[in-house]
Amino acid sequence: MQLVFDSLPDIDEQLDVSVQAAVNKLAEQELSESNGSVYTRTEVVDFILDLAGYTPDVDLCNKRLLEPSFGHGEFLCAAVSRLLDAWYAKAGRGDAVADLKDAILAVELHGNTFKEGRGKLIQLLESRNISPDKAEVLASHWLVQGDFLLESIEYPFDFVVGNPPYVRQELIPSALIAEYRRRYQTIYDRADLYIPFIERSLSLLKDEGTLGFICADRWMKNRYGGRLRKIIAEEFHLKSYVDMTGTPAFTSDVVAYPAITVISREPAGRTRIAHRPAIDKEVLAKLAKAINSADIKNDSSAVREMSGVAQGEDPWLLELPDQMALIRRLEQDYPDIETAGCRVGIGVATGADKAFIGQYAELDVEESRKLPLATTRDLVSGEIKWSGLGVINPYGDDGKLVNLDDYPQFAAYLNQHKEVIARRHCARKNQSGWYKTIDRIVPSLAERPKLLIPDIKGEAHVVYEKGELYPHHNLYYITSSEWDLRALQAVLLSEVTRLFIATYSTKMRGGYLRFQAQYLRRIRLPRWADVPENLRTELSEAGRSLDAEACNHATFKLYGLTHDERSALGGNGA
Ligand SMILES: C[S@@+](CC[C@H](N)C(=O)[O-])C[C@H]1O[C@@H](n2cnc3c(N)ncnc32)[C@H](O)[C@@H]1O
């Protein structure tokens, strides 16, 4: 099946002047990690070429390989070196230009980087006995300086390999983002640049062609990766996935955890999975062989095989099979936490904390126009220790912005800070409501008992707040009309919750999990009405005690975990 975006307009003919200007500007920029330049170690490059099947035993002279953002030429030079091995083994001393000119296409946007990569390529060709003028001709055939997402590329490829750029949308000029959005269906929400890169690269694969990329693993589970996952589930085969978390896969340190994916344009099938290999030439060569071998032994710990990893837009679940079986069982047996009568939300972002937040007692506004605020710092040691901060509140109980004429002190306060408040993006978009906060404040939330959970913590950090404070934006909250919150606290502190979050969230540096609303909503929970009286008490006491073992013990009973399921969690609450 062909994807819809196979033929793109020619860059020179149809690009709007502002888009062309934006591309030119990017091409001249200083490179840094923030505009996507992270280079791959040679051991990892060879590993990816092996996994994708770009090996000298294949007739590489008659295959086409694409490197969409070649940087300093790490993948490019390794691939060309293999191509020359194959060519020398086959053709001996034919005409390199005639034989090889269609074998490679490599794109790079940034001018200076392009020059550096080109220089390295020429050096390599000459060191492999290609004459200087033929080396120049080949480099001119193979290399394109331009924006991979806009260049017209005519033919499909047998291989696409590389490490696409990581660039957040905010850093790309708006005319260019609009053009990308027009062309690529996967770029929505906060999708990073590597998302449309993968989309276009996949679209350029021949039947049975294979892509091997290393990039951040975020898109495999999160919201903005959804459309890309759907394309892959419907039109491709996710052949292998290697988790590179914590390995020095790149020449510099990066925050986002990397993974290698190998995807072919062929009917969907099983996925080979490996985790965190040592970055060592021999280890990786062996691992590639094991991943690509016809049979694998599932009892060998290095490579596992799973079916049904890519399913529509669903997050890819790549964890250990017994843990997956437990997740699947709980997902089948219980409703999600919100259906079970709990609400998961995030605290207020103001866009200008300096103006909106201050010591509660000192905020010189009417009592009804300020709320005591809970921040991450108040959550030390599993309990609330309010540091006395407050947030000014522009919303009434009816959810509407209040009229400033009704609150003269509030109006005076806002005017005093007007320069900062009105400068915020949300204020400029809505001039009459210039004093709104980014998220609407619902004053009654402060009065509701709730559980507060800070984002980014290695272990669940779930704190009971009895109904006095309004949560700040780095805090997620859970309220419930059905569940006893102390009992729910025990569930949220248990290994079961940890497994749900670890399965669905992306891990941060140091193995931290992200306890964000989208992942918290994945938790499955029995209905409170179905929890027997004695277990209710046990859960609630465990929550109050904050004792991990007691929370596990009661929660394992709640979900009726079998002995095997308990050991899959590695928990000790048996
Ligand atoms: C993550 S680096 C990878 C470089 C190399 N492939 C490697 O693995 O070491 C990404 C490269 O993409 C380039 N780049 C950024 N945006 C691009 C675009 N729109 N088209 C082509 N290349 C781009 C950057 O200049 C950078 O060299």
Side-chain angles (χ1 to χ4, degrees):
M1 192 189 303
Q2 286 294 301
L3 298 176
V4 285
F5 30 72
D6 264 354
S7 59
L8 293 172
D10 190 281
I11 186 167
D12 296 327
E13 283 170 21
Q14 298 192 17
L15 277 190
D16 181 287
V17 184
S18 56
V19 175
Q20 186 67 66
V23 174
N24 293 346
K25 191 168 149 218
L26 287 182
E28 286 161 16
Q29 248 174 23
E30 278 294 307
L31 279 194
S32 70
E33 280 175 22
S34 72
N35 56 26
S37 308
V38 176
Y39 299 106
T40 317
R41 262 183 216 287
T42 45
E43 296 90 334
V44 176
V45 167
D46 279 327
F47 181 46
I48 293 173
L49 289 173
D50 285 349
L51 286 173
Y54 197 79
T55 47
D57 55 307
V58 174
D59 180 12
L60 298 182
C61 312
N62 286 312
K63 304 278 180 197
R64 291 181 201 271
L65 175 136
L66 168 71
E67 168 26 319
S69 55
F70 68 78
H72 292 156
E74 287 76 1
F75 281 90
L76 172 66
C77 290
V80 167
S81 183
R82 289 178 182 216
L83 173 65
L84 291 175
D85 287 345
W87 182 66
Y88 277 124
K90 182 183 157 195
R93 313 242 154 216
D95 177 359
V97 172
D99 290 349
L100 304 179
K101 67 178 178 359
D102 294 330
I104 303 277
L105 182 72
V107 184
E108 169 58 48
L109 174 62
H110 187 256
N112 288 337
T113 313
F114 177 88
K115 272 192 212 131
E116 189 163 332
R118 191 179 196 279
K120 278 200 190 149
L121 172 68
I122 300 272
Q123 228 175 19
L124 168 73
L125 289 170
E126 291 181 13
S127 76
R128 299 290 308 265
N129 295 327
I130 307 289
S131 67
D133 39 326
K134 288 203 169 157
E136 284 291 332
V137 178
L138 279 176
S140 307
H141 265 289
W142 289 348
L143 307 187
V144 173
Q145 194 204 336
D147 183 339
F148 171 64
L149 296 176
L150 303 177
E151 281 297 322
S152 63
I153 296 175
E154 280 149 29
Y155 42 77
F157 294 84
D158 302 279
F159 300 94
V160 185
V161 291
N163 165 16
Y166 316 104
V167 188
R168 282 178 290 123
Q169 281 180 38
E170 302 89 274
L171 301 175
I172 302 174
S174 52
L176 193 52
I177 274 288
E179 182 62 25
Y180 290 160
R181 280 178 190 267
R182 196 174 71 73
R183 293 171 180 236
Y184 299 102
Q185 53 178 306
T186 55
I187 183 153
Y188 83 119
D189 195 43
R190 295 168 53 81
D192 198 290
L193 192 66
Y194 65 77
I195 297 284
F197 250 72
I198 301 176
E199 176 184 339
R200 180 150 206 222
S201 299
L202 287 171
S203 79
L204 290 167
L205 280 180
K206 273 187 189 163
D207 279 345
E208 293 178 19
T210 299
L211 167 144
F213 270 0
I214 181 163
C215 79
D217 69 0
R218 217 152 268 250
W219 67 277
M220 299 172 194
K221 297 197 180 208
N222 73 6
R223 215 172 96 80
Y224 73 56
R227 291 190 187 166
L228 181 58
R229 291 194 297 272
K230 186 158 188 282
I231 292 176
I232 293 171
E234 288 173 358
E235 302 176 36
F236 295 89
H237 173 193
L238 172 62
K239 285 174 92 166
S240 37
Y241 159 88
V242 183
D243 165 22
M244 302 297 280
T245 304
T247 70
F250 301 115
T251 51
S252 61
D253 205 9
V254 278
V255 177
Y257 276 10
I260 293 170
T261 38
V262 178
I263 303 170
S264 289
R265 190 190 281 281
E266 60 186 35
R270 296 166 76 81
T271 304
R272 299 276 170 94
I273 297 170
H275 289 273
R276 307 178 186 205
I279 305 301
D280 172 271
K281 207 170 159 41
E282 270 171 39
V283 172
L284 292 175
K286 244 180 160 172
L287 182 60
K289 237 188 202 148
I291 291 176
N292 285 347
S293 71
D295 291 307
I296 56 150
K297 296 185 187 80
N298 248 337
D299 55 350
S300 99
S301 55
V303 185
R304 288 171 181 267
E305 193 174 69
M306 282 173 78
S307 58
V309 173
Q311 304 270 2
E313 290 199 2
D314 286 356
W316 290 354
L317 302 182
L318 299 147
E319 284 65 26
L320 301 176
D322 42 1
Q323 295 190 342
M324 281 321 307
L326 173 56
I327 289 276
R328 292 293 188 223
R329 203 269 286 168
L330 298 181
E331 287 181 341
Q332 207 152 36
D333 288 357
Y334 301 105
D336 63 72
I337 187 167
E338 293 202 312
T339 309
C342 306
R343 182 169 144 57
V344 179
I346 185 167
V348 60
T350 67
D353 283 353
K354 274 206 184 103
F356 279 88
I357 294 172
Q359 279 299 314
Y360 181 82
E362 289 162 21
L363 287 171
D364 189 12
V365 297
E366 291 81 358
E367 276 299 305
S368 64
R369 295 281 53 88
K370 59 181 177 178
L371 290 162
L373 187 75
T375 68
T376 321
R377 273 183 299 157
D378 300 339
L379 267 62
V380 282
S381 72
E383 280 173 29
I384 296 279
K385 287 213 171 59
W386 185 44
S387 53
L389 289 180
V391 59
I392 56 165
N393 170 26
Y395 292 92
D397 292 334
D398 57 1
K400 293 193 181 134
L401 278 177
V402 294
N403 186 342
L404 293 186
D405 295 340
D406 298 337
Y407 299 96
Q409 260 175 291
F410 185 52
Y413 181 96
L414 289 172
N415 278 323
Q416 213 180 344
H417 296 87
K418 186 158 185 178
E419 206 196 321
V420 181
I421 295 177
R423 215 175 36 215
R424 298 166 310 144
H425 182 64
C426 66
R428 278 181 286 149
K429 266 192 1 206
N430 174 356
Q431 298 209 344
S432 64
W434 62 275
Y435 50 100
K436 73 200 275 280
T437 44
I438 294 178
D439 310 294
R440 189 185 297 274
I441 291 181
V442 183
S444 60
L445 175 62
E447 289 155 26
R448 292 197 68 175
K450 57 192 113 26
L451 297 174
L452 295 177
I453 306 163
D455 189 4
I456 312 191
K457 267 281 162 199
E459 302 299 323
H461 196 60
V462 182
V463 176
Y464 178 78
E465 196 285 301
K466 61 185 181 214
E468 294 175 338
L469 303 176
Y470 201 90
H472 190 220
H473 74 108
N474 281 325
L475 291 175
Y476 296 93
Y477 66 84
I478 302 186
T479 54
S480 183
S481 50
E482 293 180 26
W483 263 77
D484 171 89
L485 286 181
R486 288 297 195 176
L488 187 59
Q489 189 175 16
V491 176
L492 293 173
L493 287 168
S494 76
E495 285 296 327
V496 175
T497 291
R498 191 180 157 76
L499 176 64
F500 271 106
I501 305 288
T503 302
Y504 285 103
S505 99
T506 46
K507 288 184 196 66
M508 300 302 288
R509 187 197 291 273
Y512 285 151
L513 297 176
R514 303 208 64 179
F515 284 81
Q516 292 181 317
Q518 55 177 320
Y519 309 128
L520 290 165
R521 290 194 183 106
R522 290 277 178 179
I523 297 169
R524 296 295 172 131
L525 194 66
R527 289 193 172 271
W528 183 242
D530 297 335
V531 182
E533 195 56 47
N534 55 350
L535 187 52
R536 287 183 174 193
T537 314
E538 187 180 339
L539 280 165
S540 159
E541 281 170 6
R544 244 174 254 278
S545 75
L546 302 175
D547 178 86
E549 218 167 297
C551 292
N552 276 339
H553 191 266
T555 305
F556 291 0
K557 271 197 212 165
L558 173 73
Y559 290 100
L561 299 195
T562 64
H563 178 77
D564 285 352
E565 287 174 333
R566 289 171 197 221
S567 37
L569 282 174
N572 53 4

Short mmCIF file of all heavy atoms in Angstrom, two decimals, residues 206-248:
data_model
loop_
_atom_site.label_atom_id
_atom_site.label_comp_id
_atom_site.label_asym_id
_atom_site.label_seq_id
_atom_site.Cartn_x
_atom_site.Cartn_y
_atom_site.Cartn_z
N LYS A 206 10.78 1.14 -0.22
CA LYS A 206 10.24 0.20 -1.22
C LYS A 206 9.48 -0.91 -0.51
O LYS A 206 9.67 -1.10 0.69
CB LYS A 206 11.42 -0.51 -1.90
CG LYS A 206 11.99 0.16 -3.05
CD LYS A 206 13.01 -0.79 -3.66
CE LYS A 206 13.79 -0.07 -4.74
NZ LYS A 206 15.01 -0.73 -5.09
N ASP A 207 8.75 -1.72 -1.25
CA ASP A 207 8.19 -2.93 -0.65
C ASP A 207 9.36 -3.74 -0.11
O ASP A 207 10.38 -3.88 -0.79
CB ASP A 207 7.46 -3.76 -1.70
CG ASP A 207 6.07 -3.19 -1.92
OD1 ASP A 207 5.62 -2.39 -1.06
OD2 ASP A 207 5.44 -3.53 -2.93
N GLU A 208 9.22 -4.23 1.07
CA GLU A 208 10.25 -5.00 1.77
C GLU A 208 11.46 -4.17 2.17
O GLU A 208 12.44 -4.70 2.71
CB GLU A 208 10.69 -6.23 0.97
CG GLU A 208 9.57 -7.23 0.88
CD GLU A 208 9.91 -8.45 0.05
OE1 GLU A 208 11.09 -8.74 -0.17
OE2 GLU A 208 8.95 -9.11 -0.37
N GLY A 209 11.42 -2.87 1.91
CA GLY A 209 12.52 -2.01 2.34
C GLY A 209 12.50 -1.87 3.87
O GLY A 209 11.46 -2.06 4.50
N THR A 210 13.67 -1.51 4.43
CA THR A 210 13.79 -1.49 5.89
C THR A 210 14.38 -0.18 6.39
O THR A 210 15.35 0.32 5.83
CB THR A 210 14.71 -2.65 6.34
OG1 THR A 210 14.10 -3.86 5.92
CG2 THR A 210 14.88 -2.68 7.86
N LEU A 211 13.77 0.31 7.46
CA LEU A 211 14.28 1.52 8.12
C LEU A 211 14.90 1.14 9.45
O LEU A 211 14.35 0.31 10.19
CB LEU A 211 13.10 2.47 8.34
CG LEU A 211 13.29 3.67 9.26
CD1 LEU A 211 12.51 4.87 8.71
CD2 LEU A 211 12.83 3.38 10.68
N GLY A 212 16.07 1.70 9.76
CA GLY A 212 16.69 1.49 11.08
C GLY A 212 17.07 2.85 11.66
O GLY A 212 17.94 3.53 11.12
N PHE A 213 16.37 3.28 12.69
CA PHE A 213 16.62 4.60 13.29
C PHE A 213 16.96 4.45 14.76
O PHE A 213 16.43 3.58 15.44
CB PHE A 213 15.36 5.47 13.21
CG PHE A 213 15.26 6.31 11.96
CD1 PHE A 213 16.24 6.29 10.98
CD2 PHE A 213 14.16 7.14 11.78
CE1 PHE A 213 16.13 7.07 9.83
CE2 PHE A 213 14.05 7.92 10.63
CZ PHE A 213 15.03 7.88 9.66
N ILE A 214 17.78 5.35 15.23
CA ILE A 214 17.91 5.51 16.68
C ILE A 214 17.33 6.88 17.00
O ILE A 214 17.62 7.86 16.33
CB ILE A 214 19.37 5.39 17.17
CG1 ILE A 214 19.41 5.53 18.69
CG2 ILE A 214 20.31 6.40 16.52
CD1 ILE A 214 20.71 5.03 19.32
N CYS A 215 16.42 6.92 17.96
CA CYS A 215 15.94 8.23 18.41
C CYS A 215 15.25 8.10 19.76
O CYS A 215 15.14 6.99 20.29
CB CYS A 215 15.07 8.90 17.36
SG CYS A 215 13.42 8.34 17.27
N ALA A 216 14.83 9.23 20.31
CA ALA A 216 14.17 9.23 21.63
C ALA A 216 12.98 8.28 21.58
O ALA A 216 12.29 8.19 20.56
CB ALA A 216 13.70 10.64 21.93
N ASP A 217 12.72 7.59 22.70
CA ASP A 217 11.66 6.57 22.67
C ASP A 217 10.27 7.13 23.00
O ASP A 217 9.29 6.42 23.01
CB ASP A 217 11.99 5.42 23.64
CG ASP A 217 11.92 5.85 25.10
OD1 ASP A 217 11.61 7.02 25.37
OD2 ASP A 217 12.18 5.00 25.97
N ARG A 218 10.23 8.42 23.29
CA ARG A 218 9.00 9.06 23.74
C ARG A 218 7.78 8.75 22.87
O ARG A 218 6.71 8.45 23.37
CB ARG A 218 9.26 10.55 23.66
CG ARG A 218 8.67 11.38 24.70
CD ARG A 218 9.55 12.58 24.84
NE ARG A 218 10.53 12.29 25.85
CZ ARG A 218 10.53 12.86 27.02
NH1 ARG A 218 9.64 13.78 27.30
NH2 ARG A 218 11.41 12.54 27.93
N TRP A 219 7.95 8.83 21.57
CA TRP A 219 6.81 8.72 20.65
C TRP A 219 6.20 7.31 20.66
O TRP A 219 5.09 7.12 20.19
CB TRP A 219 7.26 9.09 19.23
CG TRP A 219 8.23 8.10 18.63
CD1 TRP A 219 9.57 8.07 18.82
CD2 TRP A 219 7.94 7.02 17.74
NE1 TRP A 219 10.13 7.04 18.12
CE2 TRP A 219 9.15 6.38 17.44
CE3 TRP A 219 6.76 6.54 17.16
CZ2 TRP A 219 9.23 5.27 16.60
CZ3 TRP A 219 6.83 5.44 16.32
CH2 TRP A 219 8.06 4.81 16.06
N MET A 220 6.91 6.35 21.20
CA MET A 220 6.39 4.98 21.15
C MET A 220 5.24 4.79 22.13
O MET A 220 4.49 3.83 22.04
CB MET A 220 7.50 4.00 21.47
CG MET A 220 8.62 4.11 20.44
SD MET A 220 10.04 3.14 20.89
CE MET A 220 11.24 3.82 19.76
N LYS A 221 5.13 5.72 23.09
CA LYS A 221 4.05 5.58 24.07
C LYS A 221 3.17 6.81 24.19
O LYS A 221 2.05 6.70 24.64
CB LYS A 221 4.65 5.28 25.45
CG LYS A 221 5.39 3.98 25.46
CD LYS A 221 5.64 3.46 26.83
CE LYS A 221 6.39 2.15 26.70
NZ LYS A 221 6.20 1.23 27.74
N ASN A 222 3.70 7.98 23.87
CA ASN A 222 2.94 9.18 24.26
C ASN A 222 1.89 9.57 23.22
O ASN A 222 1.73 8.93 22.19
CB ASN A 222 3.90 10.34 24.57
CG ASN A 222 4.52 10.90 23.32
OD1 ASN A 222 4.16 10.51 22.21
ND2 ASN A 222 5.42 11.83 23.47
N ARG A 223 1.18 10.67 23.54
CA ARG A 223 0.06 11.11 22.73
C ARG A 223 0.50 11.51 21.33
O ARG A 223 -0.08 11.12 20.33
CB ARG A 223 -0.57 12.31 23.43
CG ARG A 223 -2.04 12.41 23.31
CD ARG A 223 -2.49 13.53 24.21
NE ARG A 223 -2.62 14.75 23.44
CZ ARG A 223 -3.68 15.02 22.68
NH1 ARG A 223 -4.69 14.17 22.62
NH2 ARG A 223 -3.75 16.14 22.00
N TYR A 224 1.58 12.29 21.27
CA TYR A 224 1.92 12.82 19.94
C TYR A 224 2.48 11.77 19.00
O TYR A 224 2.57 12.01 17.80
CB TYR A 224 2.76 14.10 20.04
CG TYR A 224 4.21 14.02 20.46
CD1 TYR A 224 5.13 13.22 19.79
CD2 TYR A 224 4.70 14.84 21.48
CE1 TYR A 224 6.46 13.20 20.15
CE2 TYR A 224 6.04 14.84 21.85
CZ TYR A 224 6.91 14.00 21.18
OH TYR A 224 8.24 14.01 21.53
N GLY A 225 2.84 10.60 19.52
CA GLY A 225 3.30 9.53 18.63
C GLY A 225 2.15 8.72 18.04
O GLY A 225 2.37 7.83 17.21
N GLY A 226 0.92 9.02 18.46
CA GLY A 226 -0.23 8.19 18.10
C GLY A 226 -0.42 7.97 16.60
O GLY A 226 -0.56 6.85 16.13
N ARG A 227 -0.39 9.06 15.86
CA ARG A 227 -0.66 8.92 14.41
C ARG A 227 0.44 8.13 13.71
O ARG A 227 0.19 7.36 12.80
CB ARG A 227 -0.79 10.30 13.78
CG ARG A 227 -2.04 10.99 14.24
CD ARG A 227 -2.28 12.23 13.41
NE ARG A 227 -3.39 12.96 13.99
CZ ARG A 227 -3.69 14.21 13.69
NH1 ARG A 227 -2.97 14.86 12.80
NH2 ARG A 227 -4.70 14.81 14.26
N LEU A 228 1.67 8.35 14.15
CA LEU A 228 2.78 7.61 13.55
C LEU A 228 2.65 6.12 13.89
O LEU A 228 2.84 5.25 13.03
CB LEU A 228 4.10 8.18 14.06
CG LEU A 228 5.36 7.53 13.50
CD1 LEU A 228 5.39 7.61 11.98
CD2 LEU A 228 6.61 8.22 14.06
N ARG A 229 2.30 5.83 15.13
CA ARG A 229 2.13 4.42 15.50
C ARG A 229 1.04 3.76 14.67
O ARG A 229 1.14 2.61 14.28
CB ARG A 229 1.79 4.30 17.00
CG ARG A 229 2.93 4.67 17.93
CD ARG A 229 2.66 4.21 19.34
NE ARG A 229 1.50 4.84 19.94
CZ ARG A 229 1.50 5.99 20.61
NH1 ARG A 229 2.63 6.65 20.77
NH2 ARG A 229 0.40 6.49 21.13
N LYS A 230 0.00 4.55 14.36
CA LYS A 230 -1.11 3.99 13.58
C LYS A 230 -0.64 3.62 12.16
O LYS A 230 -0.94 2.54 11.66
CB LYS A 230 -2.24 5.01 13.51
CG LYS A 230 -3.50 4.52 12.85
CD LYS A 230 -4.68 5.37 13.30
CE LYS A 230 -5.99 4.82 12.82
NZ LYS A 230 -6.26 5.12 11.42
N ILE A 231 0.14 4.53 11.56
CA ILE A 231 0.66 4.24 10.22
C ILE A 231 1.50 2.96 10.27
O ILE A 231 1.38 2.08 9.42
CB ILE A 231 1.53 5.42 9.71
CG1 ILE A 231 0.66 6.63 9.46
CG2 ILE A 231 2.29 5.03 8.45
CD1 ILE A 231 1.44 7.88 9.04
N ILE A 232 2.34 2.86 11.29
CA ILE A 232 3.22 1.69 11.38
C ILE A 232 2.39 0.43 11.58
O ILE A 232 2.62 -0.59 10.92
CB ILE A 232 4.25 1.89 12.52
CG1 ILE A 232 5.19 3.03 12.12
CG2 ILE A 232 5.05 0.59 12.78
CD1 ILE A 232 6.13 3.50 13.21
N ALA A 233 1.38 0.51 12.45
CA ALA A 233 0.55 -0.68 12.70
C ALA A 233 -0.17 -1.12 11.42
O ALA A 233 -0.32 -2.31 11.15
CB ALA A 233 -0.47 -0.38 13.80
N GLU A 234 -0.58 -0.16 10.62
CA GLU A 234 -1.40 -0.52 9.45
C GLU A 234 -0.59 -0.91 8.22
O GLU A 234 -1.05 -1.69 7.41
CB GLU A 234 -2.33 0.64 9.11
CG GLU A 234 -3.43 0.76 10.14
CD GLU A 234 -4.29 2.01 9.94
OE1 GLU A 234 -4.00 2.81 9.03
OE2 GLU A 234 -5.25 2.15 10.74
N GLU A 235 0.61 -0.35 8.09
CA GLU A 235 1.31 -0.55 6.81
C GLU A 235 2.69 -1.16 6.92
O GLU A 235 3.33 -1.41 5.90
CB GLU A 235 1.41 0.79 6.08
CG GLU A 235 0.05 1.41 5.85
CD GLU A 235 0.17 2.79 5.20
OE1 GLU A 235 1.08 2.96 4.38
OE2 GLU A 235 -0.63 3.66 5.54
N PHE A 236 3.16 -1.40 8.16
CA PHE A 236 4.55 -1.84 8.30
C PHE A 236 4.67 -2.96 9.33
O PHE A 236 3.71 -3.31 10.01
CB PHE A 236 5.43 -0.66 8.73
CG PHE A 236 5.50 0.42 7.68
CD1 PHE A 236 4.57 1.46 7.66
CD2 PHE A 236 6.48 0.40 6.70
CE1 PHE A 236 4.62 2.44 6.67
CE2 PHE A 236 6.54 1.38 5.72
CZ PHE A 236 5.61 2.40 5.71
N HIS A 237 5.89 -3.48 9.42
CA HIS A 237 6.20 -4.50 10.40
C HIS A 237 7.27 -3.95 11.34
O HIS A 237 8.37 -3.62 10.88
CB HIS A 237 6.71 -5.75 9.66
CG HIS A 237 7.22 -6.83 10.57
ND1 HIS A 237 7.96 -7.89 10.12
CD2 HIS A 237 7.08 -7.01 11.91
CE1 HIS A 237 8.27 -8.68 11.14
NE2 HIS A 237 7.74 -8.17 12.24
N LEU A 238 6.92 -3.81 12.60
CA LEU A 238 7.92 -3.41 13.59
C LEU A 238 8.76 -4.64 13.89
O LEU A 238 8.36 -5.51 14.64
CB LEU A 238 7.22 -2.89 14.86
CG LEU A 238 8.13 -2.62 16.05
CD1 LEU A 238 9.15 -1.53 15.73
CD2 LEU A 238 7.30 -2.24 17.27
N LYS A 239 9.93 -4.72 13.26
CA LYS A 239 10.71 -5.96 13.34
C LYS A 239 11.51 -6.06 14.61
O LYS A 239 11.56 -7.10 15.25
CB LYS A 239 11.68 -6.06 12.15
CG LYS A 239 10.99 -6.41 10.86
CD LYS A 239 11.94 -6.35 9.72
CE LYS A 239 12.59 -7.68 9.44
NZ LYS A 239 13.25 -7.66 8.12
N SER A 240 12.19 -4.97 14.97
CA SER A 240 12.93 -5.06 16.23
C SER A 240 12.99 -3.73 16.93
O SER A 240 12.84 -2.65 16.32
CB SER A 240 14.32 -5.65 16.04
OG SER A 240 14.88 -5.23 14.85
N TYR A 241 13.18 -3.85 18.22
CA TYR A 241 13.25 -2.70 19.12
C TYR A 241 14.35 -2.97 20.11
O TYR A 241 14.38 -4.03 20.74
CB TYR A 241 11.90 -2.55 19.83
CG TYR A 241 11.97 -1.75 21.11
CD1 TYR A 241 11.83 -0.37 21.10
CD2 TYR A 241 12.17 -2.38 22.34
CE1 TYR A 241 11.91 0.37 22.28
CE2 TYR A 241 12.25 -1.65 23.52
CZ TYR A 241 12.11 -0.28 23.48
OH TYR A 241 12.19 0.44 24.63
N VAL A 242 15.30 -2.06 20.19
CA VAL A 242 16.36 -2.22 21.19
C VAL A 242 16.36 -0.98 22.08
O VAL A 242 16.58 0.15 21.61
CB VAL A 242 17.75 -2.41 20.54
CG1 VAL A 242 18.80 -2.66 21.61
CG2 VAL A 242 17.72 -3.56 19.54
N ASP A 243 16.08 -1.22 23.34
CA ASP A 243 16.07 -0.15 24.33
C ASP A 243 17.52 0.23 24.63
O ASP A 243 18.30 -0.61 25.06
CB ASP A 243 15.36 -0.71 25.57
CG ASP A 243 15.56 0.12 26.80
OD1 ASP A 243 15.87 1.31 26.65
OD2 ASP A 243 15.38 -0.43 27.91
N MET A 244 17.88 1.49 24.37
CA MET A 244 19.27 1.93 24.58
C MET A 244 19.39 2.82 25.82
O MET A 244 20.39 3.51 26.00
CB MET A 244 19.78 2.69 23.34
CG MET A 244 19.72 1.90 22.05
SD MET A 244 20.78 0.43 22.04
CE MET A 244 22.37 1.17 21.71
N THR A 245 18.35 2.78 26.65
CA THR A 245 18.35 3.58 27.87
C THR A 245 19.63 3.38 28.68
O THR A 245 20.02 2.25 28.94
CB THR A 245 17.17 3.13 28.77
OG1 THR A 245 16.00 3.25 28.01
CG2 THR A 245 17.07 3.98 30.01
N GLY A 246 20.22 4.47 29.07
CA GLY A 246 21.38 4.38 29.97
C GLY A 246 22.65 3.93 29.28
O GLY A 246 23.68 3.79 29.93
N THR A 247 22.62 3.71 27.97
CA THR A 247 23.86 3.33 27.28
C THR A 247 24.46 4.58 26.63
O THR A 247 23.72 5.49 26.26
CB THR A 247 23.61 2.29 26.16
OG1 THR A 247 22.91 2.96 25.09
CG2 THR A 247 22.81 1.11 26.64
N PRO A 248 25.78 4.63 26.48
CA PRO A 248 26.36 5.81 25.82
C PRO A 248 26.26 5.67 24.30
O PRO A 248 27.26 5.54 23.61
CB PRO A 248 27.82 5.77 26.29
CG PRO A 248 28.08 4.32 26.59
CD PRO A 248 26.79 3.68 26.97
#
